[in-house]
Amino acid sequence: MWPSEGQGGSCVADCLFCGIVKGEIPSEKVYEDDRVLAFKDINPVAPVHVLLIPKEHHSDVMEAADRDPAVLGHLFTVASKLAKELGLSEKGFRVVNNCGKDGGQTVFHLHFHLIGGRQLTWPPG
């Protein structure tokens, strides 16, 4: 198991994104409410690249679907709101979730990438 993998709960000590939620690690926030935090990715792949995370720790989408499915809907609602605010809704954008090691997940705290501002290609990689 990776650090913080499979450890649902409020916050996990060794989790990078829990550190951001607690304010221990700096981030460039673009949105925050009582359940979700969104901030700019430090390694953007497009002009707009925002990460959306639940404030409560869920290691991945599978765990969140079992423990708190409502947070998944809320994350997509926030993604839609941000796409409009960031000028992505007219031309298009992508919302991506990597789940598990083979899915490309490197931080085991549920997160979605909101990516846009350029023509995106398929397959992604």
Side-chain angles (χ1 to χ4, degrees):
M1 238 197 280
W2 289 72
S4 69
E5 186 178 0
Q7 300 176 22
S10 294
C11 273
V12 175
D14 64 348
C15 176
L16 172 68
F17 289 169
C18 285
I20 291 172
V21 168
K22 292 187 285 188
E24 298 169 351
I25 299 170
S27 68
E28 194 172 339
K29 294 178 186 178
V30 296
Y31 177 87
E32 184 172 13
D33 66 23
D34 61 326
R35 300 199 72 198
V36 170
L37 176 64
F39 52 93
K40 292 184 178 181
D41 193 299
I42 61 169
N43 295 307
V45 299
V48 176
H49 189 163
V50 173
L51 298 178
L52 297 96
I53 65 171
K55 289 184 171 181
E56 181 175 343
H57 184 89
H58 301 285
S59 62
D60 58 30
V61 71
M62 302 299 290
E63 182 179 290
D66 288 342
R67 292 183 58 243
D68 186 9
V71 77
L72 297 174
H74 187 61
L75 284 160
F76 276 98
T77 299
V78 172
S80 176
K81 173 185 172 77
L82 288 175
K84 291 174 189 166
E85 289 178 5
L86 298 171
L88 302 177
S89 59
E90 283 195 29
K91 288 192 170 187
F93 58 94
R94 188 171 289 161
V95 178
V96 177
N97 172 260
N98 301 318
C99 187
K101 289 189 320 189
D102 284 356
Q105 187 175 3
T106 58
V107 177
F108 285 87
H109 182 121
L110 172 64
H111 60 286
F112 289 90
H113 299 256
L114 174 62
I115 301 168
R118 68 168 173 84
Q119 176 67 52
L120 302 173
T121 59
W122 195 262

